[in-house]
Amino acid sequence: MLTHLECTRCGDRYPADRPQSVCPNDAGVLYARYDLDKIKRSFSPARLAGRAPTMWRYDAVLPEADPVTLGEGFTPMLPSREYPNVFIKDEGLNPTGSFKARGLSACVTMARRFGLKKLAIPSAGNAAGALAAYAAAAALEAHIFMPKDVPSANRIECDYYGAQVTLVDGLISDCARKVAELKDSESWKKDGWFDVSTTKEPYRVEGKKTMGYEVAEQLGWTMPQGIIYPTGGGVGLLGMWKAFEEMQVLGWIGRERPKMITVQSSGCAPIVKAWDEGKSAADMWANAATLAAGLRVPKPYADYLILDILKKSKGTAVAATDEEILEATRHWAKVEGIFAAPEGAACLVAYRKLRASGFFKPEDTVVLFNTGSGLKYLDVLDTRVDSARVGAGDSPAQSAQSDKPTARQIGGIIGPY
Ligand SMILES: [Zn+2]
């Protein structure tokens, strides 16, 4: 049912039967297009009943290929214990502990189908772990380029999955430059290399769009009033918006759309800045720094698409400070029983702000995306605990810590500290 790829800038069409990167004319992001009328005649939501609870239950709207799967997708839609009408979509329960599993499952599936051998990725952390896992499952080589200060879980998991890891002294944008340099090498074409960077190949968006299908299915084929999404590269935002458009053509939903909300860290908020300034593209964010490693993306490649979606959906963009993010991470863990990635907990900060400003009413159904498990950030969160204890600051996160005994001694029988 996959018919062709289409440029999101100029609309030019490209064949989908071979590996494709970005549009050769204008470097626009390419989207996979399907014969939706044909799918509409042969498939309906009723046929989803009894299917395996993975993202591949939506294979009617995914490329036809033998999936490289580790059971990704169909994560829980948990009603908030704190706010009626708020749901937390817990992507931390995916294989490799983050939402990146979806995109890389689809991407590696297509890479194997096209006979590619060596997959290169610049990553802020979790995409690296996901590529490493799916490449291992597909018996392909993963070549990872990530900042040397990524959470240690990302480094260790890539090593265990057998990936080739290059630690870069810089940000994801510097890692992307390393991959670009590699393309000039003689081996690139000869040895089946391929760049699977965010939105520089069409299928990670296809994997991520299943989040949009799940939101609809898990809410009984209705649309929420809002979706809050921590935005680094923004693939999930693109994917979900694409899913809603497809579902409307398929007749699964109507014209209604959720307001799409980007949340970023105030230490790296290129989309928030561009949105506030009314721009249609983002500037490179200088000196990006945040504990939420996945949000440390100084300029997302698909910035023009992200900003367009915020506009079309009547959404907005919100920044959260690291202190607010850390407090929200702790709050969610205590109140919801969800140990979230800092990026995910940033959604709570944004929701509170949007409730306070009246942007969202108490009766609005809003989905907050927890994009990963806090377990992948233990060193990051633990360092913050240490520095909070030493510092005399008075942020909520720090005061929450001040009366605690030395963390290492808690449950001393577990030792050997
Ligand atoms: Zn184009």
mmCIF file of all heavy atoms in Angstrom, residues 37 42 53 159-160 225 415:
data_model
loop_
_atom_site.group_PDB
_atom_site.id
_atom_site.type_symbol
_atom_site.label_atom_id
_atom_site.label_comp_id
_atom_site.label_asym_id
_atom_site.label_seq_id
_atom_site.Cartn_x
_atom_site.Cartn_y
_atom_site.Cartn_z
ATOM 1 N N ASP A 37 -7.130 5.196 0.051
ATOM 2 C CA ASP A 37 -8.471 4.792 -0.385
ATOM 3 C C ASP A 37 -8.584 3.267 -0.447
ATOM 4 O O ASP A 37 -9.590 2.687 -0.061
ATOM 5 C CB ASP A 37 -8.795 5.404 -1.758
ATOM 6 C CG ASP A 37 -9.025 6.914 -1.649
ATOM 7 O OD1 ASP A 37 -9.465 7.352 -0.558
ATOM 8 O OD2 ASP A 37 -8.742 7.637 -2.622
ATOM 9 N N SER A 42 -10.196 -2.020 2.618
ATOM 10 C CA SER A 42 -9.825 -3.364 3.066
ATOM 11 C C SER A 42 -9.563 -3.459 4.570
ATOM 12 O O SER A 42 -9.338 -4.536 5.099
ATOM 13 C CB SER A 42 -8.576 -3.833 2.311
ATOM 14 O OG SER A 42 -7.499 -2.951 2.570
ATOM 15 N N PRO A 53 -0.478 -6.666 20.893
ATOM 16 C CA PRO A 53 -0.379 -5.291 21.407
ATOM 17 C C PRO A 53 0.997 -4.684 21.160
ATOM 18 O O PRO A 53 1.757 -4.391 22.080
ATOM 19 C CB PRO A 53 -0.659 -5.455 22.906
ATOM 20 C CG PRO A 53 -0.204 -6.841 23.210
ATOM 21 C CD PRO A 53 -0.402 -7.662 21.954
ATOM 22 N N ASP A 159 27.117 -0.595 24.053
ATOM 23 C CA ASP A 159 28.259 -1.501 24.157
ATOM 24 C C ASP A 159 27.776 -2.947 24.234
ATOM 25 O O ASP A 159 28.240 -3.814 23.490
ATOM 26 C CB ASP A 159 29.076 -1.105 25.392
ATOM 27 C CG ASP A 159 30.284 -1.992 25.579
ATOM 28 O OD1 ASP A 159 30.907 -2.335 24.552
ATOM 29 O OD2 ASP A 159 30.601 -2.348 26.729
ATOM 30 N N TYR A 160 26.807 -3.208 25.081
ATOM 31 C CA TYR A 160 26.300 -4.575 25.232
ATOM 32 C C TYR A 160 25.607 -5.080 23.968
ATOM 33 O O TYR A 160 25.680 -6.257 23.650
ATOM 34 C CB TYR A 160 25.363 -4.667 26.443
ATOM 35 C CG TYR A 160 26.100 -5.048 27.701
ATOM 36 C CD1 TYR A 160 26.919 -4.122 28.352
ATOM 37 C CD2 TYR A 160 26.021 -6.336 28.227
ATOM 38 C CE1 TYR A 160 27.616 -4.464 29.486
ATOM 39 C CE2 TYR A 160 26.719 -6.694 29.374
ATOM 40 C CZ TYR A 160 27.523 -5.743 29.998
ATOM 41 O OH TYR A 160 28.215 -6.098 31.122
ATOM 42 N N GLN A 225 -8.193 16.994 23.638
ATOM 43 C CA GLN A 225 -8.116 18.431 23.310
ATOM 44 C C GLN A 225 -6.663 18.888 23.175
ATOM 45 O O GLN A 225 -6.377 19.882 22.525
ATOM 46 C CB GLN A 225 -8.813 19.267 24.385
ATOM 47 C CG GLN A 225 -10.307 19.405 24.186
ATOM 48 C CD GLN A 225 -11.049 18.124 24.465
ATOM 49 O OE1 GLN A 225 -10.869 17.505 25.510
ATOM 50 N NE2 GLN A 225 -11.864 17.685 23.520
ATOM 51 N N GLY A 415 23.684 -3.120 50.485
ATOM 52 C CA GLY A 415 25.117 -2.892 50.360
ATOM 53 C C GLY A 415 25.656 -3.071 48.961
ATOM 54 O O GLY A 415 24.881 -3.179 48.043
#
